[in-house]
């Protein structure tokens, strides 16, 4: 995972603070959850004097599983489905605007 952090300005310009590359394992295992933000341009310019441009602090990291429809089916979910088709002639022809089954094209 790569997190890139910008300083947002109201005039539309946004200045890069820095970025950090980490993994989900690192984020959940790291007790401090503090990650230094590195700005490569500043690092090249300042050389060995450069430490970081700030710190990304993650107060909490949680993982949630989102189940798909297929997950429910594979777990044994059973569904009952019923369909009904009304063939009653008293409803009228679908082309007749007074019919209960009238279909208005383009609506």
């Amino acid at each position: 995972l790569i997190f890139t952090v910008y300083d947002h300005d109201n005039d539309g310009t946004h200045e890069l603070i820095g970025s950090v590359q980490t993994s989900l394992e690192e984020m959940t295992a790291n007790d401090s959850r503090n990650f230094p933000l590195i700005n490569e341009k500043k690092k090249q310019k300042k050389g060995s004097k450069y430490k970081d441009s700030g710190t990304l602090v993650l107060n909490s990291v949680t993982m949630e599983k989102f189940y798909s429809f297929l997950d429910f089916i594979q777990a044994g979910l059973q569904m009952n489905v019923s369909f009904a088709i009304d063939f009653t002639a008293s409803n009228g022809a679908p082309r007749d605007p007074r019919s209960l089954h009238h279909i208005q094209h383009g609506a």
Side-chain angles (χ1 to χ4, degrees):
L1 301 170
I2 298 176
F3 292 94
T4 305
V5 180
Y6 289 88
D7 178 21
H8 172 79
D9 294 325
N10 288 334
D11 65 1
T13 61
H14 311 301
E15 184 181 345
L16 174 67
I17 295 174
S19 60
V20 60
Q21 183 172 348
T22 185
S23 66
L24 186 59
E25 184 178 309
E26 248 187 312
M27 288 171 33
T28 55
N30 189 349
D31 291 333
S32 64
R33 293 191 185 97
N34 294 330
F35 299 93
L37 294 169
I38 306 299
N39 186 324
E40 290 298 329
K41 286 184 182 178
K42 287 184 180 180
K43 185 177 180 180
Q44 288 175 358
K45 187 177 179 181
K46 293 184 178 182
S48 61
K49 294 179 184 178
Y50 181 80
K51 182 182 171 187
D52 59 47
S53 295
T55 305
L56 176 66
V57 179
L58 302 176
N59 292 327
S60 69
V61 177
T62 58
M63 294 189 315
E64 294 182 26
K65 170 101 169 126
F66 290 97
Y67 296 98
S68 70
F69 181 72
L70 186 58
D71 291 328
F72 285 103
I73 298 298
Q74 288 175 334
L77 175 71
Q78 293 183 3
M79 295 178 63
N80 296 320
V81 179
S82 297
F83 294 96
I85 300 173
D86 185 0
F87 288 108
T88 310
S90 63
N91 290 330
R95 291 184 188 91
D96 184 355
R98 296 172 293 166
S99 167
L100 296 175
H101 297 285
H102 176 66
I103 300 171
Q104 184 177 0
H105 294 287

